[in-house]
Amino acid sequence: MVRDNGHPTFSLILVCSSYPPVVGGSEVEAQRVCSALIKRGHRVTVATTGGAPMPPLRKWTDPAGVPVRIYAAGWNGVMKDMVYAISVAWLLIRERRNYQAVYFLMQGLHLAVGLPVARLLGKTILMKVGGSGVLPAMALSPTGRLEIRWLRKWADCVMILNEGMRTEALAARLPADKLLWMPNPVDTEHFSPVPDAQRRQLRAQHGLPEDASVIIYTGRLAPEKSLHVLVEAFATVRQQRPQACLVLVGDGPMRTALTEQTQRLGCQDNTRFVGTVAPSEIPRWLQMADVFTLVSPSEGFPCALVEAMSAGLASVVSDIPAIRQLVQSEKHGLLAPAGDAAAVSAALIRLLDDQELRTRMGAEARRSVKEQYATERVLERYETLLGETIPTKRRPALDW
């Protein structure tokens, strides 16, 4: 099929074990990519698992207009994984005439089951590795090693997010010519800066002091984000800059521990735990802030950081490969060694004290995102990939 503009259309099933309203970088990416592909005339169906907070449906069209098939809602643990994997395999077989490619966005038992089915059906096989450390972790289990072996043989493309992941992929003996850098997209119109008057209005609506120096983090309050380092750094900032305020947008298993940490360090009155908000509200919180921060020791392609950059915020971030590809120190933000609370606090104070520097860095950050990571730029990469892998696909014999 071709679109009105003469370009071909493609059809695919995207397999990911969790999906919005579940909150996470891979989940958000899945929805953005699928929605954008559909708007560009392609056909996409998502296969995911059910259970709260997913709706109690088997077939659902999400708020972004994406058709979603929901499986294994009534199961937990290993049984949930097994039921989901079998359901994915049956979906691939049953709908074999209605799609050209299978796109695996997350690893798991469904990947081990789905790979040979997609291969047997002669479909284009795409895989995206969700973050740094995923492939080494897969290599620790028999199932993971089998998945890597089959990806090595059968995948048409394995997408990665940064150079550190390329090194991990090569160490797993994935062919270099199958690896493709594929960043996550961001809606640069949705995530955009606002004039000062509107920022003051937003702060008033959400109970933030007009003259506060607002440091913001958006994302899950999870152990892998090392937010205890951020709270420790903020306690130092608060002692030296009493008007500073730390806003944490999101929720997760570390919330209680982080709340207790702010109380021990005496910065609880200037720390705000916002909790989970609707995706449409995240840009509003970024627009109220002065500085964004992300101090994780490991990332794949941090969507939250790209969103903040698109909103015109300078940042204080960990000096790790996934972030260095986004933030050039002294140009888009400031880098600090992962785990170094003193370096994080010093960088935050420097940015809070220098509005001109923040403004310049924020403008450069937004310019970089618009040029490289805007939805239309990333979707062009996806369409090129689909065009290169789907037309020449032939039904092969299985080689075990």
Side-chain angles (χ1 to χ4, degrees):
M1 294 178 62
V2 295
R3 287 175 280 174
D4 292 341
N5 59 12
H7 295 293
T9 60
F10 304 105
S11 55
L12 63 148
I13 291 178
L14 186 141
V15 180
C16 54
S17 55
S18 58
Y19 184 82
V22 176
V23 177
S26 293
E27 291 82 0
V28 170
E29 179 209 0
Q31 188 175 57
R32 287 179 180 170
V33 169
C34 291
S35 176
L37 284 171
I38 290 170
K39 290 176 181 176
R40 293 167 81 102
H42 308 292
R43 291 192 293 116
V44 184
T45 299
V46 170
T48 191
T49 60
M54 298 296 291
L57 302 169
R58 287 293 300 272
K59 293 184 179 181
W60 174 51
T61 299
D62 75 6
V66 180
V68 182
R69 305 288 181 90
I70 302 174
Y71 302 108
W75 301 87
N76 294 295
V78 174
M79 284 303 300
K80 187 182 188 82
D81 296 339
M82 292 178 64
V83 172
Y84 176 54
I86 293 170
S87 300
V88 166
W90 177 235
L91 174 68
L92 297 181
I93 295 169
R94 188 179 69 246
E95 299 291 333
R96 60 189 178 276
R97 294 182 178 85
N98 298 324
Y99 67 94
Q100 298 164 296
V102 186
Y103 179 4
F104 296 97
L105 189 56
M106 299 175 184
Q107 73 283 0
L109 185 59
H110 57 276
L111 179 62
V113 174
L115 278 171
V117 173
R119 174 71 174 183
L120 183 63
L121 294 171
K123 302 299 182 180
T124 289
I125 296 174
L126 308 174
M127 171 71 187
K128 189 167 186 179
V129 184
S132 299
V134 169
L135 288 170
M138 289 173 64
L140 297 177
S141 72
T143 301
R145 290 192 291 272
L146 184 63
E147 292 168 351
I148 292 173
R149 177 186 173 189
W150 286 347
L151 285 171
R152 191 184 302 140
K153 289 185 174 184
W154 300 337
D156 293 271
C157 179
V158 176
M159 289 166 270
I160 54 174
L161 294 164
N162 59 60
E163 284 303 311
M165 292 171 65
R166 180 180 296 276
T167 300
E168 293 175 351
L170 293 175
R173 295 192 295 119
L174 291 170
D177 60 356
K178 288 188 177 183
L179 301 179
L180 176 69
W181 177 69
M182 184 67 77
N184 299 339
V186 62
D187 186 336
T188 56
E189 297 303 314
H190 191 50
F191 291 91
S192 60
V194 295
D196 288 343
Q198 187 174 345
R199 186 177 72 148
R200 290 193 296 270
Q201 183 180 26
L202 286 170
R203 286 191 176 191
Q205 292 172 353
H206 291 82
L208 287 176
E210 181 180 322
D211 61 347
S213 298
V214 178
I215 302 162
I216 193 167
Y217 163 85
T218 60
R220 294 189 69 242
L221 308 187
E224 62 269 19
K225 299 299 183 179
S226 288
L227 292 170
H228 65 285
V229 174
L230 174 57
V231 171
E232 181 182 347
F234 176 68
T236 300
V237 173
R238 171 68 180 85
Q239 290 173 357
Q240 300 182 40
R241 302 294 183 273
Q243 294 300 111
C245 176
L246 175 62
V247 175
L248 302 168
V249 180
D251 214 335
M254 292 300 296
R255 180 164 180 166
T256 299
L258 293 170
T259 301
E260 293 173 352
Q261 185 184 10
T262 65
Q263 294 168 350
R264 289 196 308 272
L265 297 176
C267 58
Q268 69 274 20
D269 292 340
N270 289 66
T271 304
R272 181 164 175 180
F273 291 88
V274 175
T276 302
V277 302
S280 60
E281 286 299 307
I282 293 176
R284 307 288 85 79
W285 285 98
L286 292 171
Q287 289 160 354
M288 294 180 234
D290 295 294
V291 177
F292 177 82
T293 185
L294 180 68
V295 298
S296 309
S298 178
E299 289 282 350
F301 186 92
C303 292
L305 172 58
V306 182
E307 291 167 356
M309 294 173 69
S310 182
L313 288 179
S315 57
V316 173
V317 288
S318 299
D319 188 2
I320 58 175
I323 289 179
R324 283 197 298 270
Q325 71 173 330
L326 296 168
V327 175
Q328 183 178 334
S329 189
E330 303 291 338
K331 183 175 183 180
H332 310 111
L334 299 175
L335 300 176
D340 191 336
V344 172
S345 62
L348 287 170
I349 290 172
R350 181 182 168 197
L351 282 182
L352 294 180
D353 286 351
D354 195 334
Q355 181 176 352
E356 182 179 345
L357 179 63
R358 293 199 311 270
T359 300
R360 176 174 60 78
M361 287 183 170
E364 288 291 340
R366 178 164 172 77
R367 183 177 298 110
S368 174
V369 169
K370 290 183 71 174
E371 290 175 353
Q372 300 182 70
Y373 310 115
T375 300
E376 57 270 21
R377 300 282 82 79
V378 176
L379 264 292
E380 288 168 1
R381 295 180 63 83
Y382 271 101
E383 289 182 328
T384 297
L385 170 63
L386 293 169
E388 290 175 348
T389 56
I390 287 178
T392 58
K393 192 69 179 171
R394 295 290 182 269
R395 181 171 178 170
L398 282 171
D399 54 334
W400 295 85

